[in-house]
Every structure is written in C-alpha cells, then in structure tokens.
Amino acid sequence: MEKVRLGRTNIVVNKNGFGALPVQRVSKEDAQVILRKAYENGIQFFDSARAYSDSEEKIGLALSDVRENIFIATKTMATTVEDFWQDLEMSLKMLKTDYIDIYQFHNPSFCPKPNDGTGLYEAMEEAKRQGKIRFIGLTNHGWKVAKEAIESGLYDTLQFPFSYLASDAEEELVRLCQEHDVGFICMKALSGGLITRSDIAYAYLNQFPHALPIWGIQKESELDEFLSYQECPPALTKEIQAIIEHDRQELSGQFCRGCGYCMPCPQGIVINQCARMSLMLRRAPASGWLSEKWQAEMKKIESCIHCNQCVSRCPYGLNTPELLLKNYEDYQTFLK
C-alpha cells in the first residue's frame, strides 16, 4: 500500500484520500456504509467542508468512534472572524470531535496573512493555540494565490486541482510544495469527470510521492475501484502514456473544469455543466446529455444577459459567455 507524507505535518496516510463532497448527495445510511468501508479498508484521510451541506455530519456519524485512527480535514469560507469561529464550532459539532487535523481556508480570493486587516489568519493561530486545530491549510483554484501560500511559510498544506491535464505552471506548484515541505492535497484528479479512467489518473499521480489525491466518492462501486489500486497500483505503461498524451491534446487550453464557482447564474443556466457540454458528449455516453431535461438546460444559454458575473468568479479566467455559446452551437449539431 502506497504511503504519502503530508509535508511538515508529518501526517502519513495511504495514497487514497476520501473526498467527502459527493456523500452529501446520498442518504445518511448509504454514506455511513461507504465511509465505514473506506476506513475498514485502510483509508485514513477524510476531507470535507462546512459548505458541503451534511457531509461533515455523515463523517461524524460514521467514524466518530474511530476518531483517533483517522485524519480529518475540513474548510471554512468565512470572510470575517465571527463567521470563522461559527464555522469552526459547527464543524467540530457535526464531526463529533474536539479537534480538526487540518483546517483550511476554502478557496479564498487572496492569501490570508497576519496583519492583513481581516484577522482571519490570527483566528487560525488562536484556534491552533486552543487545540481545536492541528495544522493550517489553504485550498484554491487560482495559481497565484496557491503559489503565494506555499512561499509564505504560513501554510502546512495546500489543496489544489491536479490531474494529468495539468499545465506546466500547475506542475510547478506540486514541485514547490515538495521544496517547501508543504503537504500537497490533490483535488479533482479526474478533472470533474473529463478523465474517465481512474486507473490512468492514479498511475499519473503515483509519479508524485508527496501528493495525496482525494477521490470524490458517492458509490460503493467507485470506492471499490480505488481500493483495488492499493494492492495493485496501476503502472504508467507506454499504452497509458499514449492515452495521456491524446487526452492532453484533446483537452488542452480553455475548457471548463466544472468547479462551480461561477454559480449561481441569474438566468438559471447550469454553467458548470453547459460550458463543457461538448467535452461531456464526446467523453461519456451522449444519450444522457441529449435528454429533454438537458436540451431545456442548454436552451437557457439563449437567455444569457452577459452580466459577466461568471467571468469575474471563474478561477481559470475563462470567457464563460463565449464558451457557453460555442458549446450550445456544438450541442445543436448532435440533435440533428
């Protein structure tokens, strides 16, 4: 079983981390079965967030009796000190624990630092002094903020999207984490569903011994897939490398990762799906995306008022209205 050391935290866990965003979509009973099975099969690292509705509660229900054997990371989107403490106390209550191993700022638009006027980093330090958190982390989708966090020396871990579709600049972040002894937690290793073979995703990430992928899991079948790699990790063969190169050419450039930070849209457009529909049609069974439901969702693109709220929120700097229109035009060719 592959092990990962999360930088200067000295937390050592197996190469499979559990991303608990998707368990908010299943019942409490099903979530407990999946979470417990993950733990009983060697998964030790569980990542959630205050913003993930009842995800923390489900972790607490499933794993509070084995708390000393696992590591929990969660997040706050607080922009004020008051909200920070409210989020932290609620997370502790939902998780049924008196401490959080890694408490992370959740995709902030800037890198919180001491004396920046917000008081947020000072609140993190106080929470650590009180023993309510062990380590301080930051998650982000923006390269600039992530790099600043690594180089600041203030953060024990960074959580960032990383897959074999990563750019050279994104790979640089992973190397920087290693150089600065910052734990690297890898989210979106399947690039929001655009990568359809988890074995290839796993094989690629195995090249980075200090990177911990957290896989978004909501079905036992998905969990079983990742558990199988613990005993038989996929190798980066010439065949797999060829698939990676093909996908990089097909998916390089300005494409939507489906992160959802552009949402909600004032016109009700499901931007984080509609803006990448062309890719989904070609990389997944098309029939589901051509249903009456999705035809109606795609038609909403006609009502775009170009308010550019989505543009201002996109961590990848995409021209989202233009991307929506291109996807809509392409979508219509599949309906003929």
Side-chain angles (χ1 to χ4, degrees):
M1 189 182 297
E2 301 282 341
K3 294 283 186 178
V4 179
R5 173 183 170 272
L6 275 177
R8 55 178 171 263
T9 69
N10 282 321
I11 291 173
V12 178
V13 292
N14 80 40
K15 191 76 174 182
N16 279 330
F18 194 109
L21 183 153
V23 297
Q24 66 184 315
R25 304 181 191 129
V26 303
S27 70
K28 288 181 181 179
E29 293 74 21
D30 288 345
Q32 287 185 69
V33 169
I34 295 167
L35 287 160
R36 196 70 186 194
K37 183 174 183 178
Y39 165 73
E40 290 172 352
N41 284 274
I43 291 180
Q44 302 161 278
F45 190 89
F46 296 83
D47 177 85
S48 186
R50 186 83 291 277
Y52 297 167
S53 63
D54 63 357
S55 170
E56 291 177 326
E57 181 185 8
K58 287 168 176 170
I59 291 174
L61 290 170
L63 301 172
S64 60
D65 64 319
V66 293
R67 176 66 183 93
E68 68 278 8
N69 300 328
I70 63 173
F71 299 94
I72 295 175
T74 194
K75 319 177 189 76
T76 175
M77 296 187 79
T79 56
T80 67
V81 171
E82 181 182 4
D83 288 346
F84 173 93
W85 288 109
Q86 286 181 357
D87 276 0
L88 177 55
E89 294 302 329
M90 184 58 72
S91 289
L92 291 168
K93 179 181 178 181
M94 292 294 101
L95 290 162
K96 296 182 181 296
T97 184
D98 56 5
Y99 71 97
I100 291 164
D101 294 287
I102 303 173
Y103 201 45
Q104 304 160 104
F105 288 120
H106 193 170
N107 196 41
S109 60
F110 65 101
C111 178
K113 296 179 179 179
N115 304 311
D116 64 7
T118 67
L120 290 169
Y121 194 86
E122 288 88 342
M124 275 284 197
E125 291 180 308
E126 179 58 28
K128 189 173 181 179
R129 277 192 292 271
Q130 292 182 17
K132 293 180 177 179
I133 67 174
R134 294 180 61 211
F135 301 104
I136 300 172
L138 179 141
T139 80
N140 223 260
H141 289 255
W143 183 87
K144 183 178 178 182
V145 173
K147 185 171 185 286
E148 187 177 350
I150 297 168
E151 294 178 338
S152 71
L154 297 169
Y155 291 92
D156 301 306
T157 62
L158 171 72
Q159 185 174 150
F160 194 83
F162 190 64
S163 71
Y164 66 67
L165 300 178
S167 65
D168 290 343
E170 289 162 343
E171 284 200 7
E172 181 192 349
L173 287 180
V174 184
R175 290 192 294 271
L176 276 175
C177 279
Q178 189 170 33
E179 290 172 14
H180 290 261
D181 206 22
V182 172
F184 183 72
I185 303 166
C186 164
M187 61 170 152
K188 295 194 176 295
L190 298 177
S191 199
L194 294 179
I195 293 174
T196 56
R197 282 186 54 179
S198 64
D199 59 330
I200 297 179
Y202 195 101
Y204 174 78
L205 292 174
N206 247 1
Q207 298 177 100
F208 304 91
H210 62 294
L212 172 64
I214 49 172
W215 309 103
I217 294 167
Q218 65 181 347
K219 298 176 183 177
E220 270 196 82
S221 59
E222 294 169 346
L223 175 61
D224 291 341
E225 199 170 323
F226 292 112
L227 290 176
S228 71
Y229 303 151
Q230 294 180 165
E231 297 303 323
C232 300
L236 198 62
T237 62
K238 288 183 178 180
E239 177 194 357
I240 283 179
Q241 287 175 324
I243 295 171
I244 289 174
E245 288 308 312
H246 172 270
D247 285 356
R248 281 176 168 171
Q249 291 178 18
E250 182 176 86
L251 298 170
S252 63
Q254 300 293 294
F255 68 92
C256 173
R257 279 79 168 172
C259 69
Y261 286 102
C262 55
M263 300 288 285
C265 168
Q267 297 301 100
I269 302 168
V270 187
I271 300 170
N272 56 329
Q273 294 290 15
C274 295
R276 59 185 191 144
M277 185 59 73
S278 292
L279 294 171
M280 300 307 291
L281 286 168
R282 291 168 172 81
R283 300 186 64 79
S287 57
W289 297 107
L290 298 173
S291 66
E292 289 186 10
K293 174 188 180 296
W294 278 106
Q295 288 183 48
E297 294 293 349
M298 291 298 288
K299 189 170 177 59
K300 290 179 184 177
I301 294 172
E302 295 177 0
S303 67
C304 175
I305 57 175
H306 296 271
C307 65
N308 286 334
Q309 288 185 30
C310 51
V311 175
S312 65
R313 295 171 183 159
C314 180
Y316 300 97
L318 300 177
N319 184 335
T320 312
E322 181 180 295
L323 198 58
L324 283 167
L325 184 58
K326 286 180 177 178
N327 276 264
Y328 186 42
E329 291 172 349
D330 184 51
Y331 185 79
Q332 290 172 310
T333 66
F334 280 78
L335 301 176
K336 294 176 181 178

